[in-house]
Amino acid sequence: MSLKKITSHKMFLPVFCMILVLCANMIYDASQGSDFYEFFKVGITNGYLSGRLVNILNRGSETAILAVGMTLVVSASAGTDISVGSVMALCASVCCVILAGPAAPQATELAAPLIVGVLGGIAIGALCGAFNGALVAYLNIQPMVATLILWTAARATGLLVCNNLIVYVRNDTFGILGGFIGMFPTPILVAAIVIAAVALLLKLSAMGLYVQSVGINKKASRIAGLNSKRIIFLCYLLCGVCAAIAGVVASSRITSADSNNIGLNYELDAILAVALGGNSLGGGRFNLAGSIIGAYTIQAITTTMYNMKISTAVTPVFKAIVVIVIVAIQAPPVKAWFKKLSARNASASAKGVANA
Amino acid sequence: MSKSANTLKERKQMNSNTVLLLITIALFVVLYAAGCVAYGSKGFTNLQTFLNILRSNAGLICVACGMTCVMLTGGIDISVGSLVAMDCMLLAYGMSNWHLSAPVMCLLVLAIGLVFGLVQGFCVGYLEIQPFIVSMAGMFFARGMTAVISTDQLSITADVNQTFYDWSSFRIYLPFGGVPNRKGVVIMPYFGSGVVIALVVLVVIFLMLRYTKFGRSLYAVGGSAQSAAMMGLNVKKTQLKAYVLCSVLTSIGGICYCMNTMSASVSQATGLEMQAIASSVIGGTLLTGGVGNVIGTLFGVLINGTISAIVQTNGKLASSWPNILTAALLCFFIVLQSIFALLKERKK
């Protein structure tokens, strides 16, 4: 009975997957002849924190930031925002073009203060989010079809903004967002700030409650006096802002805006994070902490694959299979089948007891 | 009195659907005319330009027909672009490394399309997972598998496979509309085998949707799954079949696409799913299902093709413009659809 309690806990799926990945790493390390705790080693190399754990936390920042926005979108509208990867690319391009100024595409000095570029990128992200939100909330278009428009258009616009070039901003001030403060990786801090801000917003205001209520039943929430449309709109807006922050961090990492590659396949990672976090993709109740653990689990899977020398181009195959398996487990017919199976087991054991 | 009111109502209902199709055809004519006026000196008015649009979009026509069938049931399939890339890669790799003959490879590609569609259709129909999630996973799966087959840029030359090369260079010349080239030799307009395949697919799907039981059940399921089930249709099976049909047609489209490009790479056909969806939507297929026709889809493809032809003929516009314009058109038509839907609801 206690086992059932554990498996039905809302944090079971994300934590279980995380432990699974960690175990896989330990077994792999041990089989390769290094210490089994190799994965958890944290050291200081060249004055920076290093180690696989730090690496995963660092590299997983973008996915975690995206997962925050995606969780709200999934919860409120029962659909996903598949434009986040492209919006990342567009915002990175805008940010870099503002910062490079006339010296584009090869700038070493900032043409505008860092904050102007970053805010410019975030403003564009908010605009994209508002566009998606308006289509979904006010025009009643299916979320994934509405976001499909920006999925192609945003990346293409990003290329247009950059004039089909990679815009370099080789400047330490810009590089700090994706680099290090002291010996500590900045992206982890950025992700922590975003997560904390959204969590506080959800906790301190009734927003979290409203989002769930709209996700569970849009009509009933409206009748209860909530402005359902505005809440869905706000969720998409927030998702766009999250994508923009992730895009700026990603471009700062490589101190350039590469519209063709920034944020590529990130929409899958973000959706996978939400699904791994134990959230139903059908909307309703959400679990932000689960999504974030899910995001880092995905990064751990990716890093593990690199470690096992599996090509980057192949990783989507595994992720796609994981998504389908997780979603299939949550699907109503499969759940019903499981229930039937366990009921049959229970009745069989009851019969066994009666016979004895 | 009541009878005439009924027919009036019927006519009105038909109108709101045909209006979308008429807008599409008008848009195509306007776009093409604009291209002719702006780039008449660059040969846009030649019949060959139009045939070239057909030639380079033969694959897209097949894919979009499949997409229309899936969208009629109220679903969507965004895996088609990656599936085309996988088909091309498999064709190129199989012919150059396994030295298999062209018909065998084509059959293999079709078989893979069938299996792909079966899995997706099972997940959508029987497991009741959202079509978007299923096909998105399918999209990444197919793209990843393309990389698993090979990450190189492969090309199919006459040395690699003579049969396939002959298929792709097969040309049918029209008896009229010839234009003299720079040397003064009159070249008759022509089209290739891809166009023939695409038009055959188009006609077959058109007839199937109109006259077969399966075709009509696609509309019924899309219109209202519940009423379709009450009428005794097997909704799950119909959805499964729709996805299988879509993936098989995508594989046929992949072969056409490969005949056109004669090469394969991991990043091939990116954004094709978007073009296919846009073509269907522009052609008047409702995203909610139940309404649509492949004739509209054909015009949707032609509009897409005309946009890229205009951008290519201009030569100075950035290569990302076709993507942006297609997305803008898609947006315009989706908004139009939802406004029509809102009006209909208000009338009730």
Side-chain angles (χ1 to χ4, degrees), chain A residues 78 131 139 141-142 144-145 148-149 151-153 156 160 164 265 268 271 281 313-314 316-317 320 324 327 331 333-334, chain B residues 126-130 132-133 136-137 139-141 144-145 147-148 273-274 277 287 318-321 324 327 331 334 338:
Chain A
F131 176 78
L139 289 174
I141 297 167
Q142 294 136 286
M144 289 175 248
V145 177
L148 191 70
I149 295 169
W151 182 52
T152 27
L160 207 64
N164 272 354
N265 298 352
L268 180 70
I271 294 166
L281 290 181
V314 181
V317 176
I324 281 299
V327 178
V334 180
Chain B
Y126 288 87
L127 296 185
E128 293 169 26
I129 307 174
Q130 293 175 26
F132 234 107
I133 302 286
M136 196 186 67
M139 171 172 90
F140 285 102
F141 181 81
M145 284 311 284
V148 170
E273 56 278 340
M274 179 69 181
I277 294 167
L287 286 161
S319 57
S320 39
W321 271 111
I324 297 176
C331 178
I334 289 176
S338 75

Side-chain angles (χ1 to χ4, degrees), chain B residues 253-277:
Chain B
I255 295 169
C256 292
Y257 194 93
C258 195
M259 279 185 195
N260 190 37
T261 58
M262 290 306 268
S263 67
S265 70
V266 174
S267 60
Q268 202 166 32
T270 41
L272 191 81
E273 56 278 340
M274 179 69 181
Q275 286 179 342
I277 294 167

Side-chain angles (χ1 to χ4, degrees), chain A residues 71-81 136 143-144 214-216 232 236 280-284, chain B residues 130 133:
Chain A
T71 309
L72 295 179
V73 162
V74 168
S75 167
S77 66
T80 50
D81 181 349
V136 174
M144 289 175 248
V214 169
I216 290 165
I232 294 178
Y236 278 86
S280 157
L281 290 181
Chain B
Q130 293 175 26
I133 302 286

Side-chain angles (χ1 to χ4, degrees), chain A residues 92-93 95-97 99-101 103-110 162 165-171 174 251 254-258:
Chain A
S93 306
C95 174
C96 283
V97 165
L99 290 180
Q106 295 272 0
T108 46
E109 295 292 315
L110 295 184
C162 289
L165 298 166
I166 298 176
V167 176
Y168 293 97
V169 185
R170 299 230 184 275
N171 184 289
F174 178 53
S251 73
I254 51 173
T255 57
S256 59
D258 180 1

Side-chain angles (χ1 to χ4, degrees), chain B residues 3-76:
Chain B
K3 203 177 177 187
S4 70
N6 249 344
T7 48
L8 202 71
K9 220 183 215 171
E10 257 170 35
R11 203 176 295 158
K12 246 185 194 163
Q13 198 158 21
M14 201 188 75
N15 274 350
S16 73
N17 293 333
T18 43
V19 159
L20 279 172
L21 184 62
L22 284 179
I23 291 177
T24 308
I25 295 175
L27 187 68
F28 168 67
V29 172
V30 167
L31 257 179
Y32 202 81
C36 286
V37 170
Y39 304 113
S41 57
K42 289 186 181 175
F44 208 89
T45 45
N46 294 353
L47 188 58
Q48 187 60 54
T49 309
F50 178 73
L51 290 178
N52 279 345
I53 292 177
L54 271 184
R55 249 158 42 99
S56 52
N57 288 300
L60 182 59
I61 292 176
C62 299
V63 174
C65 283
M67 183 69 80
T68 305
C69 292
V70 164
M71 278 166 68
L72 282 178
T73 66
I76 203 160

